[in-house]
Amino acid sequence: MDKVYYLKNIRKYRSVLPKVLGNTYPENSEVVVKLHFGEPGNKTALTPQEVAETVKVLNDLNIDPILFDTPVAYTSERSTVGGYKKAIRRRGFLKVARCKISNKGVPVKTKDMRVEVAKVLAKAKHVLVISHVKGHECCGFGGAIKNLGMGGITRESKVKEHNFAKPIWVKECQGCGTCAKLCPASAIKIVNGKAHVDLNECMGCSLCEMVCSYNCIKSRKALFDDLLAQAACAVMKKMPRKVLYINYLKNITEHCDCYDDAGKIVSKDIGVLFSTNPVAIDKASIDLINKINKKDVFKKLWNRDPLLHIEYASKYSTFSERYSLIDV
């Protein structure tokens, strides 16, 4: 059973970091810090000032950090390497540490697809994964696994991940309308008593397959949660054996940091988690959010089990969902 360390008071973050980071990374080393820099305009993603706290401690320990991410799959300034660099420059991250945006990958075969793991992560000797926990319509929520399974692969692999989760009809639609009602992309319409999917609008979240009472729909390859976990485990396989994961449970929004407006706050701030187990830290994040709010926050919000991709990630890796929570 792996340990997940829980710091309730975020203001004490800087005081606990020297021991946490010093016990993980050797002096005079270089550490790739996997981040989601946030869509331009987003006010709830991790800020340069927050990331600078970690960078300062790494520098004090004579450890050289490189902040890293890959281009996004959707239409955005961040969909190209050059555009992404401009975005992080405007946000102020270049003043914090060296930053690298790259779309170069190393191919890895998974159960249902061939993904390209970011070469920067695959070649790194030391990696630190910092994730902002928030909601996500395609997998319930985004944490460490989402940070790797979508953010740790090339843009082309991200597109493939979504496309392979898009629906195909295996039986005639019975016209119940449930999929049209719940589709987060509003890509399904009822026409003449039958559901019609606009695949150009479909984001490949697999929810229609999950909620169809008549089993009329299935994904082209696998559920999005499954594919996300496969990609995340491919990244884990290529990264160094020992990786530290930090999950921020603050500014917990309904949408992902990929939105310029991530929507309403759905939970009060909870704290910061530390672990070397990405599956356990995400499981602990959900457990804490649900415990404090006395409800399954993301399941209620997005009509899907936020633990599903965590379960798949545990299945495809050596990481267990079981953990012991230790207060810092």
Side-chain angles (χ1 to χ4, degrees), residues 274-290:
F274 308 86
S275 183
T276 55
N277 180 335
V279 172
I281 199 172
D282 274 5
K283 177 66 162 57
S285 298
I286 292 296
D287 289 345
L288 283 169
I289 290 170
N290 290 347

Side-chain angles (χ1 to χ4, degrees), residues 106-117 149 153 157 160-161 164 221-222 226-238 316:
V106 176
V108 177
K109 181 70 174 68
T110 71
K111 181 173 71 70
D112 291 301
M113 59 182 175
R114 179 180 177 274
V115 300
E116 290 185 320
V117 173
I153 60 179
S157 295
K160 185 185 299 183
E161 202 171 307
F164 282 178
K221 287 283 188 179
D226 190 345
L227 296 168
L228 178 69
Q230 289 181 44
C233 291
V235 179
M236 295 174 201
K237 182 179 179 181
K238 285 294 183 179
Y316 297 134

